[in-house]
């Protein structure tokens, strides 16, 4: 249905190759997951396949994109601001087929997506909907258009756990092939039957793409085994090479010594030693030739490296939060705000107690007010003088000045020594020198998330407030992020629907409902 032949994509501003000679075919039944670290061109690849005008002026490409007259449906990572201003009815009406679709078929689509049918005709603005409602409404419009292929860019972002499980079933049962990007390891494990892994190696100077028809977990395990075997072989060959080189050096030194001693007294013996030296040199040259094609030590795009200070250590008995909110209102709630219901009560009697270095995670359905609650708690904690707080919002633009460069954003004094230290830190986070000098607005979502984590690390904060902290990191980086947060010596209050994050990092999990915060057992998640 869709063929990609020898596709090379180059970043125009940096003249950096994002993809090199990528070829694959998308056939019926394929559920192909694209994985890779932040900024490796995954979203650019989907945009280019869908409509090359979406990347004009940003990247250029060579190779072939053969669509075979297939109609392609595309779900972007972020909805355009102008679309957020539309009502649900206006958004659906942008598809000419919406008016031609029979009511029974619309009802079938709404049931499949678990959306109320009347939402298609609602005057509610998309910007006022929950993340799950926006994703489902976009998928509904795509399904009305009857695509032959679906391209999905981070479809699980902003979805609650129930909706993520629904999305898994949607991908599994889709009658059309799907090419998608996801950072959710569990979703990948449960849905992908083919993997495209995009890497930037040799300090992002070389691109590498791996295409394998296997599931995600099998791919990770196979990759680890392959890299481990290659490294063992390469190191063994180098060890043998060094031993043989040492042997040649010893023989040469011995022959040279004998030449110096014997040649003056015995010209005939000196000639023999000279022949011996020629033979040794010939053996060495032959040996060098044999090792010209030694197995390479595997070059990989390592996961990001970051850690928090070892000195951060909150005492077990210290009270971090003793919070009570009689009513959580929809007022000023960006998750769910509806103009007609501005003061609707979302939850009553919200209580939360955090002591010592606890790791707390809040879950709940889309639109229940989790982000609003987190903002309110953050305001209270920021006022404290006995703790230092850092906040990672779900929408990074709330906190980042996107006109600054990463170096400028992290700088406090701006002196030369500080700038040098910041560049070293950014380098450990896999930023290239060019990316360090670009405005933040040019960075990917994952690179912006890295920047916020790095600032938290540099600030020495002992309380972290994190709204969906793993949502923009690659599935290969997320294990590193989870380990880093798990070993953090301070307290963490977070919102997450990442099942591996909840399992590995959270000490306690609360669900936000209309009755307040209810403790959840692990088997209830």
């Amino acid at each position: 249905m869709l063929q990609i032949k020898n596709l090379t994509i180059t970043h125009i501003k940096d003249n950096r190759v994002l993809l090199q000679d990528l070829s694959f075919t998308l056939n019926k039944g394929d559920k192909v997951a694209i994985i890779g670290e932040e900024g490796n061109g995954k979203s650019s690849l989907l945009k280019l396949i869908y409509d090359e005008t979406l990347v004009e002026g940003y990247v250029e490409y060579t190779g072939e994109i053969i669509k075979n007259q297939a109609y392609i449906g595309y779900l972007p990572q972020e909805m355009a601001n102008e679309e957020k201003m539309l009502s649900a009815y206006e958004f659906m009406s942008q598809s000419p087929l919406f008016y031609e679709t029979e009511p029974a078929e619309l009802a079938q689509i709404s049931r499949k997506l678990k959306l109320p049918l009347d939402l298609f005709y609602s005057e509610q603005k998309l910007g006022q909907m929950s993340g799950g409602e926006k994703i489902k409404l976009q998928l509904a419009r795509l399904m009305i258009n009857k695509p032959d292929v679906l391209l999905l860019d981070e479809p699980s972002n902003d979805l609650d756990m129930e909706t993520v499980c629904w999305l898994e079933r949607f991908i599994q049962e889709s009658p059309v092939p799907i090419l998608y990007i996801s950072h959710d390891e569990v979703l990948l494990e449960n849905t992908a039957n083919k993997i495209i892994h995009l890497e930037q190696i040799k300090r992002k100077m070389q691109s590498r793409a791996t295409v394998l028809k296997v599931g995600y977990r099998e791919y990770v395990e196979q990759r680890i085994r392959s890299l481990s075997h290659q490294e063992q072989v390469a190191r063994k060959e180098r060890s043998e090479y060094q031993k043989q080189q040492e042997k040649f050096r010893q023989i040469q030194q011995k022959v040279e010594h004998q030449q110096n001693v014997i040649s003056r007294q015995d010209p005939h013996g000196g000639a023999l030693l000279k022949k011996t030296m020629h033979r040794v040199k010939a053996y060495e040259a032959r040996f060098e030739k044999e090792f010209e094609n030694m197995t390479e030590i595997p070059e990989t795009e390592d996961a990001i490296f970051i850690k928090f200070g070892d000195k951060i250590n909150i005492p077990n008995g210290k009270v971090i939060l003793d919070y009570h909110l009689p009513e959580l209102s929809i007022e000023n709630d960006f998750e769910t705000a509806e103009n007609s219901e501005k003061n609707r009560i979302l939850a009553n009697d919200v209580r939360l107690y955090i002591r010592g270095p606890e790791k707390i995670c809040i879950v709940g359905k889309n639109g229940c007010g989790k982000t609003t609650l987190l903002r309110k708690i953050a305001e209270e904690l920021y006022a404290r003088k006995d703790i230092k707080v850092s906040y990672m919002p779900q929408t990074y633009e709330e906190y980042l000045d996107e006109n600054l460069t990463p170096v400028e954003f992290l700088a406090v004094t701006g002196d030369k020594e500080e700038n040098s230290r910041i560049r070293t830190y950014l380098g450990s986070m896999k930023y290239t020198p060019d990316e360090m000098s670009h405005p933040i607005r040019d960075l990917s979502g994952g690179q912006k998330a890295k920047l916020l984590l790095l600032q938290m690390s540099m600030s020495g904060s002992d309380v972290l407030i994190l709204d969906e902290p793993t949502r923009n990191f690659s599935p290969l980086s997320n294990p590193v992020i989870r380990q880093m947060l798990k070993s953090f010596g301070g307290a963490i209050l977070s919102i997450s629907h990442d099942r591996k994050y909840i399992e590995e990092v959270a000490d306690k999990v609360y669900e936000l409902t209309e009755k307040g915060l209810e403790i959840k057992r692990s088997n209830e998640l």
Side-chain angles (χ1 to χ4, degrees):
M1 284 188 172
L2 176 69
Q3 288 178 283
I4 305 299
K5 289 186 176 182
N6 308 116
L7 185 64
T8 294
I9 301 178
T10 304
H11 191 290
I12 293 174
K13 186 177 289 188
D14 295 344
N15 196 31
R16 178 165 61 91
V17 176
L18 295 175
L19 275 77
Q20 180 77 47
D21 201 30
L22 173 65
S23 297
F24 68 91
T25 302
L26 194 64
N27 293 312
K28 185 177 180 180
D30 281 346
K31 310 294 188 294
V32 183
I34 305 173
I35 64 171
E37 294 299 315
E38 301 75 27
N40 278 8
K42 301 183 297 297
S43 293
S44 296
L45 173 60
L46 285 194
K47 290 176 183 177
L48 179 60
I49 292 172
Y50 175 65
D51 180 0
E52 63 182 70
T53 63
L54 294 178
V55 293
E56 276 184 355
Y58 176 67
V59 301
E60 55 188 15
Y61 78 98
T62 60
E64 294 181 81
I65 300 172
I66 305 170
K67 301 182 183 180
N68 295 311
Q69 297 185 323
Y71 176 76
I72 297 178
Y74 170 61
L75 179 76
Q77 185 177 140
E78 295 288 343
M79 180 176 280
N81 289 329
E82 52 268 27
E83 288 188 320
K84 293 177 183 177
M85 302 300 294
L86 299 176
S87 69
Y89 178 64
E90 290 170 332
F91 178 76
M92 296 300 293
S93 297
Q94 286 187 340
S95 167
L97 294 179
F98 178 60
Y99 298 106
E100 301 175 16
T101 305
E102 296 292 331
E105 188 175 350
L106 288 176
Q108 184 180 13
I109 291 172
S110 71
R111 284 195 300 271
K112 184 176 179 63
L113 297 177
K114 296 189 182 299
L115 277 178
L117 180 60
D118 59 4
L119 185 62
F120 295 164
Y121 304 93
S122 169
E123 292 303 315
Q124 183 182 2
K125 302 294 185 185
L126 269 71
Q128 298 164 350
M129 293 181 181
S130 71
E133 288 172 325
K134 282 186 281 195
I135 289 288
K136 288 183 175 183
L137 205 63
Q138 291 177 87
L139 286 172
R141 195 173 75 175
L142 291 178
M143 291 171 68
I144 286 171
N145 293 333
K146 296 182 173 58
D148 301 304
V149 173
L150 280 174
L151 309 181
L152 309 178
D153 194 348
E154 291 291 353
S156 61
N157 272 2
D158 305 326
L159 300 186
D160 59 40
M161 207 171 299
E162 180 182 340
T163 311
V164 170
C165 292
W166 166 86
L167 178 64
E168 285 181 0
R169 292 191 296 274
F170 175 85
I171 294 174
Q172 290 166 350
E173 298 169 3
S174 172
V176 302
I178 300 179
L179 179 64
Y180 63 107
I181 301 167
S182 180
H183 295 159
D184 187 321
E185 292 160 81
V186 178
L187 183 141
L188 289 169
E189 290 172 359
N190 292 341
T191 58
N193 58 23
K194 192 172 185 177
I195 301 295
I196 298 175
H197 185 186
L198 306 182
E199 296 179 90
Q200 294 282 311
I201 57 177
K202 300 186 185 301
R203 298 183 178 272
K204 291 194 173 183
M205 297 299 291
Q206 183 177 325
S207 173
R208 179 170 67 197
T210 304
V211 181
L212 282 178
K213 194 169 180 59
V214 295
Y216 176 72
R217 182 49 46 197
E218 184 181 350
Y219 173 72
V220 172
E221 293 172 353
Q222 182 176 319
R223 180 172 183 266
I224 291 171
R225 287 195 303 270
S226 175
L227 292 174
S228 177
H229 175 72
Q230 182 181 339
E231 183 170 5
Q232 287 177 3
V233 171
R235 295 199 182 282
K236 183 177 179 181
E237 288 177 354
R238 279 156 179 76
S239 176
E240 291 296 324
Y241 178 78
Q242 292 299 329
K243 288 178 183 177
Q244 193 63 49
Q245 286 291 90
E246 180 61 30
K247 184 177 178 180
F248 281 132
R249 277 194 294 270
Q250 291 174 356
I251 294 173
Q252 286 178 16
Q253 288 172 359
K254 183 178 179 181
V255 173
E256 286 172 355
H257 174 71
Q258 290 175 336
Q259 279 182 318
N260 291 333
V261 173
I262 297 174
S263 58
R264 299 188 195 98
Q265 305 169 358
D266 183 3
H268 178 68
L272 290 175
L273 285 172
K274 192 172 184 180
K275 289 182 180 179
T276 302
M277 179 63 82
H278 281 309
R279 285 199 302 270
V280 171
K281 291 283 187 183
Y283 284 139
E284 184 178 15
R286 193 185 311 161
F287 181 77
E288 289 278 0
K289 194 167 186 63
E290 288 176 2
F291 275 83
E292 281 179 359
N293 298 316
M294 277 193 293
T295 303
E296 290 186 3
I297 293 177
E299 174 86 26
T300 62
E301 183 178 47
D302 297 325
I304 65 171
F305 173 79
I306 184 174
K307 66 177 182 178
F308 289 93
D310 297 332
K311 295 181 180 179
I312 297 173
N313 188 15
I314 290 182
N316 290 332
K318 183 177 180 64
V319 176
I320 302 299
L321 183 69
D322 189 358
Y323 187 77
H324 178 223
L325 184 67
E327 291 182 344
L328 178 62
S329 169
I330 202 171
E331 184 178 6
N332 297 325
D333 180 13
F334 297 104
E335 286 186 283
T336 58
E338 296 179 37
N339 294 332
S340 60
E341 298 184 280
K342 192 172 183 180
N343 293 308
R344 180 165 64 86
I345 305 302
L346 295 170
N348 291 289
D349 195 27
V350 178
R351 297 177 184 269
L352 184 59
Y353 184 79
I354 303 176
R355 184 174 65 181
E358 285 189 306
K359 314 291 191 293
I360 305 298
C361 184
I362 297 174
V363 300
K365 294 183 177 180
N366 285 126
C368 70
K370 300 182 296 297
T371 291
T372 297
L373 176 61
L374 206 65
R375 288 194 187 108
K376 289 179 178 293
I377 293 174
E379 288 175 9
E380 182 165 310
L381 290 178
Y382 270 124
R384 292 267 295 274
K385 302 298 183 185
D386 59 327
I387 56 176
K388 188 164 187 179
V389 179
S390 284
Y391 174 50
M392 173 187 265
Q394 186 179 126
T395 305
Y396 305 141
E397 290 73 21
E398 291 178 33
Y399 191 70
L400 293 170
D401 182 345
E402 296 204 305
N403 294 314
L404 298 177
T405 67
V407 175
E408 291 169 341
F409 173 75
L410 294 170
V412 176
T413 65
D415 62 46
K416 186 176 180 180
E417 183 180 342
E418 182 191 52
N419 283 349
S420 177
R421 186 169 65 254
I422 288 171
R423 287 181 176 276
T424 300
Y425 291 151
L426 287 169
S428 74
M429 300 283 281
K430 309 303 177 187
Y431 281 81
T432 66
D434 284 324
E435 289 167 342
M436 296 178 197
S437 304
H438 285 177
I440 293 172
R441 63 174 174 271
D442 291 345
L443 302 177
S444 69
Q447 288 170 311
K448 292 174 184 177
K450 286 181 184 180
L451 203 55
L452 289 172
L453 275 182
L454 184 54
Q455 188 190 53
M456 289 180 175
S457 172
M458 294 173 64
S459 71
S461 297
D462 50 12
V463 177
L464 307 182
I465 302 174
L466 311 173
D467 196 343
E468 298 285 2
T470 61
R471 66 192 290 263
N472 277 311
F473 289 109
S474 85
L476 300 177
S477 279
N478 265 326
V480 179
I481 300 297
R482 293 195 297 269
Q483 182 57 44
M484 174 196 71
L485 295 176
K486 181 180 180 179
S487 60
F488 176 61
I492 296 177
L493 174 60
S494 59
I495 295 170
S496 183
H497 300 113
D498 180 336
R499 287 160 284 187
K500 287 190 179 287
Y501 172 89
I502 293 170
E503 178 184 349
E504 296 177 19
V505 178
D507 299 321
K508 294 179 182 176
V509 180
Y510 293 89
E511 182 178 10
L512 182 59
T513 70
E514 293 179 355
K515 298 177 182 179
L517 287 170
E518 300 179 356
I519 191 77
K520 301 288 288 183
R521 294 187 297 273
S522 59
N523 61 2
E524 295 177 312
L525 297 173

